Amino acid sequence: MLDPGYWPDLPLLTDDYLAANPTRNRALDLLPLLTHFDEERVRSMLPHEKIGSRPVFHYRLPQAHLSDPAWTLMLDWERWLSVEHLAGHPESLAARGKAALSRLS
């Protein structure tokens, strides 16, 4: 999925996502969106997960520790800004994907 040339159809994307991320425990969870498009495929891999089918990304807000004076939202906010930046700059996304692939090989 890191390869800038990776442009799968929806069934292959769903299969690859489920193979790499068989959990809802992600900040940006695609399972509601993938379930919306192909519920049978998702449920066959994750029959016991609580997944609401809807045509949107599911972004989980970070846990808030308001009683901790050292807690801050900034790390999660900066992470989200990075996602937004990459979504609007495909050349940056491609460069990061290539760099990650080179570290893996």
Side-chain angles (χ1 to χ4, degrees), residues 62-75:
Q63 288 187 338
H65 302 278
L66 300 177
S67 64
D68 179 357
W71 178 80
T72 176
L73 186 63
M74 288 310 297
L75 179 63

Side-chain angles (χ1 to χ4, degrees), residues 1 4 6 21 23-24 27 30 36 42 46 49 51-52 57 60-61 64 70-72 77 80 82 87 89 95-96:
M1 291 182 170
Y6 176 77
N21 296 284
T23 178
R24 296 172 50 233
L30 295 183
H36 172 77
V42 174
L46 301 171
E49 286 285 340
I51 304 167
F57 291 115
R60 284 186 176 73
L61 296 172
W71 178 80
T72 176
W77 178 247
W80 181 252
S82 177
H89 297 88
R96 284 195 181 192

Side-chain angles (χ1 to χ4, degrees), residues 34-45 51 53:
L34 297 174
T35 303
H36 172 77
F37 288 116
D38 193 344
E39 186 162 359
E40 184 177 328
R41 183 180 298 274
V42 174
R43 300 270 183 222
S44 72
M45 294 290 295
I51 304 167
S53 171

Side-chain angles (χ1 to χ4, degrees), residues 17 20-30 58-60:
Y17 185 85
N21 296 284
T23 178
R24 296 172 50 233
N25 191 20
R26 300 275 179 244
L28 184 60
D29 179 8
L30 295 183
H58 180 82
Y59 184 72
R60 284 186 176 73

Side-chain angles (χ1 to χ4, degrees), residues 12 49-50 71 73 83 100 103 105:
L12 179 57
E49 286 285 340
K50 181 182 171 189
W71 178 80
L73 186 63
V83 169
R103 289 191 301 271
S105 50

